[in-house]
Amino acid sequence: MCLIINPFFCFAGTGSPLLPMPQSVDWKTGHYHLEQGVNIQVKGEISNANKQALIVLLANSNIQKVDFDNTRQATLSIRCGMELRLPSESLEAYRIVVDPKGIQVEAKSNAGIFYALQTLRQLGGSNGKFPYCSITDYPSFRWRGYLVDVGRNYQSLAILKEQIDIMAKYKLNVFHFHFTEDIAWRLISKKYPGLTDSSNMERWKGKYYTVEEMKELIQYCHDRHIQLVPEIDMPGHSAAFRRYFKTDMQSDSGTAIIKELVGEFETTYPGLPYLHIGGDEVKIHNQRFLPEMTRWIEQLGMKTIGWDPGGNLQPQTIRQLWMGGPQSITNDYPFEVIDSKHLYLNHMDPLETVTALFYRQLGGQPSENKKLLGATLCSWPDRAVSNERDVFHQNAIYPALLVFAERSWRGGGEFEWRSNIRTDARGLAEFAEFEERLLQHKRLYFKNFIFPYYRQSKQTWILYGPFENKGNLDMSINKEREGQFQASKQIGVFYGGTIVLRHWWADVVRGAIDRPLKNTTIYAVSKIWSDQPEYKNFWIGFNDLSRSYASDSPHLETWDERKSKLWINETEVVPPKWQHAGQKGNLEIPLVDEGYSYRVPRKVKLRQGWNTIVVKLPVGELKGTDWQNPLKWMFTCLPIDNE
């Protein structure tokens, strides 16, 4: 038996890589084998949606005959009721016991039953064998959200449902739907149908959601115990509103119209408990606007959420933090809070995404409290995309959802934000254990999905420096290609496919270099083994552009503006022939090959035995050329053929 108090390091022998890892698991020896027919005993009210979810789960284990009426010979029992005792008051808590008698599931609510079924899905294989175990589980945060911005770049209903399905399977419970923007207003209004006319859109013209589609999306979320939270951004990010109505939202006429639109929304989609009102990145010249809109929305029966920092939100409005503000939300904080700081996927490269989210403590607390509801992970593809699937290539959407599910369900994490894998033994081991589960889920459940992530915890680097370059980024030193540097210049050992030396938000996100110096060069050296001479695919990159900034594309024959270089066995790996070489940043020009995860991997020739990789990382001033081109001193180099 393996009693998991801290479940890290202890799942591998079970054959069941659970994610998110439950709060408490007691693995035991043996398996219960569900036969071809299953008799289910139900005590309490179980929703039809949960019954259907169970039928699908059993079908995936090749069990087609399911009987909910034969209770005498029950092989699976489900109990649902508020009288059940669980170690958490959360209605999402559950207990699973698998022993020689069968499978028992207990929860206080249908939400708890649903989450128990998601864990059962991961426990059982296609052969219908479930390992003996006792699981007690509950969320650390009651708000575990995911935001999709369809205002800027439209996503079809099928793509949205695909993401919602993944959310549900990994116990995320809030879908934040951002459908109004400067670029387009994407939800039809029957009173003002011209608002969604193609002539009023700047991107993805003519693409919007009908009443029927919105209702279908709300119901789709509801059936999976996910709360849809709509966002009607006001008064900022509202150029589409202004173009059509020829008035500012904060004017008297604009306020009257937005009240009509919100009223129509509530009448058309009744029963939604929240409306996100935005409120950020705009000059508030009418101090009455947000208080008046808040009162109006509350009269319609909805609670408001707004971005912070933002406009003059009312005290009862939930704050969704996106920058600045307190690092830790305590019970005496004056407002209810949802944390989204440093949870924007568009600012992270795919490998960094998993590292940053794994260690990220939400709201500066290990678990929720009276004022800290939880957190929302955000997908903001500000820059235009040519195809809706491009968002998934450029951003690690599904890897991120899984690691965020782990952190928001289990809680914990570190108060300090970091972009690299920890180098101490425990920190590295904890990440490697999670990464193993993540990659097992990639193999088991994401074969037909875009999943830009590969094992990186075994990639080891030694950093050397700093070497003064006096502003000459071409400066070279003796035997740099061979990777032979004085031991006294060794900075330390680091792990990962992406190493961030200095983050562009260096004041809040820790990089590999504690005190980086301008006009210096750092070298990174690694050795990889090959059993035979071969060509191997690598992810290689030096400046993974944010998908929110109008950043410039690299010039021909350069990896970046810092003149970074990379050698393998003393042979230089030359930069790609960029399709948009030297292109001035423009949010309306889609990225095509600027990031390593959405261009063809680089084939590199390796020799038999050990191969030496040397990365040269010069830097001049520790700042970008402008705010659209911030300095993120980093590199990515990772062989990706071994998964």
Side-chain angles (χ1 to χ4, degrees):
M1 180 181 76
C2 175
L3 177 63
I4 300 184
I5 298 173
N6 178 350
F8 297 121
F9 321 115
C10 205
F11 83 94
T14 69
S16 299
L18 302 182
L19 201 163
M21 180 64 77
Q23 302 289 355
S24 173
V25 185
D26 184 354
W27 299 113
K28 300 180 180 179
T29 303
H31 290 78
Y32 185 79
H33 190 186
L34 285 177
E35 304 298 337
Q36 293 303 307
V38 175
N39 297 326
I40 300 174
Q41 181 185 57
V42 176
K43 293 183 179 180
E45 294 295 325
I46 305 298
S47 68
N48 289 330
N50 273 344
K51 288 182 180 180
Q52 186 60 39
L54 178 56
I55 291 171
V56 171
L57 181 156
L58 294 172
N60 290 337
S61 295
N62 293 317
I63 298 168
Q64 304 299 328
K65 185 180 178 182
V66 180
D67 190 345
F68 283 93
D69 298 320
N70 189 346
T71 60
R72 291 187 177 182
Q73 298 177 336
T75 51
L76 194 159
S77 67
I78 300 176
R79 295 179 62 199
C80 181
M82 292 298 295
E83 74 281 358
L84 294 174
R85 291 188 176 182
L86 291 167
S88 170
E89 294 300 317
S90 170
L91 296 180
E92 297 175 311
Y94 66 89
R95 180 182 291 116
I96 296 173
V97 175
V98 183
D99 59 23
K101 298 177 184 178
I103 301 173
Q104 300 90 47
V105 175
E106 295 181 344
K108 294 181 179 181
S109 73
N110 271 283
I113 295 296
F114 182 79
Y115 293 135
L117 295 181
Q118 304 316 307
T119 301
L120 271 181
R121 177 182 64 89
Q122 297 179 15
L123 279 175
S126 59
N127 57 7
K129 288 186 177 181
F130 292 77
Y132 290 158
C133 61
S134 177
I135 295 174
T136 302
D137 201 13
Y138 50 87
S140 293
F141 294 94
R142 58 191 180 275
W143 188 287
R144 305 177 303 280
Y146 171 55
L147 177 150
V148 174
D149 170 15
V150 296
R152 292 179 175 90
N153 287 292
Y154 172 85
Q155 292 186 18
S156 65
L157 211 62
I159 296 273
L160 294 175
K161 286 181 176 180
E162 177 183 293
Q163 293 167 86
I164 291 165
D165 282 337
I166 300 303
M167 290 177 63
K169 289 176 180 178
Y170 292 92
K171 303 182 177 71
L172 298 177
N173 66 353
V174 176
F175 181 63
H176 183 155
F177 193 44
H178 181 92
F179 56 82
T180 71
E181 257 303 332
D182 291 331
I183 287 169
W185 187 292
R186 298 205 190 271
L187 180 63
I188 188 70
S189 163
K190 289 189 174 181
K191 185 166 186 179
Y192 298 107
L195 187 57
T196 49
D197 189 82
S198 60
S199 63
N200 197 45
M201 296 182 178
E202 296 180 338
R203 204 187 281 173
W204 291 85
K205 291 177 177 287
K207 294 293 186 180
Y208 63 89
Y209 305 95
T210 65
V211 169
E212 293 72 25
E213 287 175 325
M214 185 65 172
K215 287 183 176 180
E216 184 178 346
L217 197 62
I218 293 169
Q219 187 63 46
Y220 200 81
C221 288
H222 181 267
D223 290 344
R224 288 154 182 77
H225 296 275
I226 292 172
Q227 179 63 59
L228 187 144
V229 174
E231 180 175 358
I232 299 177
D233 221 329
M234 58 182 84
H237 295 271
S238 57
F241 176 98
R242 189 165 56 251
R243 279 194 302 272
Y244 180 70
F245 292 109
K246 305 296 189 289
T247 186
D248 185 271
M249 204 180 274
Q250 296 184 68
S251 68
D252 290 344
S253 59
T255 302
I257 294 170
I258 191 63
K259 281 186 176 181
E260 284 185 296
L261 287 167
V262 171
E264 179 188 356
F265 180 88
E266 194 283 326
T267 301
T268 309
Y269 314 104
L272 292 174
Y274 301 101
L275 179 65
H276 202 299
I277 58 175
D280 66 319
E281 297 185 318
V282 63
K283 182 177 180 180
I284 302 294
H285 57 76
N286 178 0
Q287 294 295 320
R288 302 187 310 276
F289 177 79
L290 282 173
E292 185 175 343
M293 288 305 303
T294 299
R295 287 192 298 272
W296 171 250
I297 292 165
E298 289 173 346
Q299 289 171 11
L300 295 173
M302 293 180 284
K303 186 174 180 63
T304 56
I305 307 170
W307 294 106
D308 188 357
N312 55 329
L313 300 174
Q314 295 300 283
Q316 68 272 27
T317 297
I318 299 171
R319 266 60 173 175
Q320 186 166 357
L321 306 182
W322 65 282
M323 66 176 289
Q327 289 293 93
S328 179
I329 304 301
T330 58
N331 277 322
D332 59 358
Y333 194 68
F335 315 112
E336 291 183 303
V337 165
I338 300 161
D339 188 11
S340 285
K341 293 193 298 182
H342 198 39
L343 295 175
Y344 282 24
L345 299 182
N346 39 295
H347 287 316
M348 307 178 193
D349 84 330
L351 294 172
E352 177 198 357
T353 293
V354 172
T355 303
L357 295 181
F358 175 75
Y359 292 112
R360 175 77 159 79
Q361 188 177 79
L362 305 178
Q365 298 291 339
S367 61
E368 68 176 40
N369 57 42
K370 183 179 178 181
K371 295 299 177 66
L372 178 60
L373 308 183
T376 294
L377 183 70
C378 301
S379 174
W380 294 108
D382 291 67
R383 194 153 181 165
V385 295
S386 300
N387 184 289
E388 59 183 339
R389 288 288 184 188
D390 289 350
V391 173
F392 296 81
H393 287 289
Q394 297 173 7
N395 306 274
I397 299 292
Y398 289 135
L401 283 177
L402 269 60
V403 66
F404 180 72
E406 172 92 357
R407 182 57 63 221
S408 60
W409 182 272
R410 282 196 53 79
E414 297 184 6
F415 185 78
E416 182 183 45
W417 297 353
R418 61 174 57 248
S419 51
N420 300 308
I421 299 172
R422 276 174 49 178
T423 56
D424 63 289
R426 181 176 179 83
L428 174 62
E430 288 181 353
F431 181 85
E433 186 279 333
F434 171 78
E435 183 180 60
E436 176 61 28
R437 282 187 283 131
L438 178 70
L439 291 171
Q440 288 202 40
H441 277 249
K442 176 184 178 180
R443 291 189 289 269
L444 288 169
Y445 308 118
F446 289 88
K447 292 179 181 177
N448 299 317
F449 295 82
I450 300 166
F451 201 96
Y453 188 80
Y454 295 89
R455 188 186 310 278
Q456 60 169 327
S457 61
K458 294 183 179 180
Q459 183 67 43
T460 305
W461 298 94
I462 300 177
L463 297 189
Y464 294 92
F467 298 90
E468 186 178 3
N469 63 39
K470 298 181 180 179
N472 176 15
L473 302 182
D474 291 312
M475 182 277 297
S476 62
I477 63 175
N478 189 36
K479 293 188 176 182
E480 63 180 6
R481 294 181 178 222
E482 295 96 320
Q484 297 181 16
F485 304 103
Q486 296 177 0
S488 61
K489 281 292 189 178
Q490 180 174 322
I491 296 171
V493 178
F494 296 85
Y495 304 91
T498 288
I499 303 295
V500 179
L501 279 63
R502 180 189 184 275
H503 202 279
W504 52 42
W505 298 316
D507 56 330
V508 291
V509 182
R510 183 177 180 182
I513 309 298
D514 287 335
R515 286 180 289 276
L517 301 173
K518 69 177 183 178
N519 300 328
T520 58
T521 299
I522 301 293
Y523 292 87
V525 180
S526 182
K527 292 184 180 292
I528 62 172
W529 176 268
S530 181
D531 291 332
Q532 59 188 10
E534 62 178 333
Y535 282 90
K536 187 175 282 289
N537 287 320
F538 276 72
W539 270 353
I540 297 175
F542 290 89
N543 188 22
D544 196 78
L545 302 183
S546 168
R547 279 71 67 198
S548 284
Y549 298 145
S551 299
D552 304 338
S553 296
H555 291 275
L556 280 176
E557 301 181 357
T558 68
W559 284 103
D560 58 23
E561 76 283 358
R562 297 185 300 278
K563 300 187 178 181
S564 299
K565 293 182 181 296
L566 185 146
W567 298 277
I568 295 184
N569 299 325
E570 302 181 40
T571 299
E572 184 176 356
V573 179
V574 298
K577 294 183 178 179
W578 308 108
Q579 294 183 46
H580 293 163
Q583 172 68 52
K584 187 69 176 174
N586 186 331
L587 289 178
E588 299 310 312
I589 299 178
L591 299 171
V592 290
D593 62 358
E594 290 85 351
Y596 62 78
S597 65
Y598 50 98
R599 63 173 174 260
V600 177
R602 175 58 60 90
K603 275 198 176 301
V604 174
K605 185 178 181 179
L606 299 180
R607 63 193 181 198
Q608 185 176 12
W610 287 107
N611 296 262
T612 301
I613 305 174
V614 179
V615 185
K616 182 178 182 179
L617 300 154
V619 72
E621 296 293 327
L622 294 177
K623 61 181 181 180
T625 54
D626 54 47
W627 74 271
Q628 301 275 21
N629 293 276
L631 172 71
K632 196 172 187 181
W633 195 12
M634 60 174 286
F635 73 93
T636 296
C637 182
L638 182 70
I640 61 172
D641 286 336
N642 296 330
E643 296 301 335

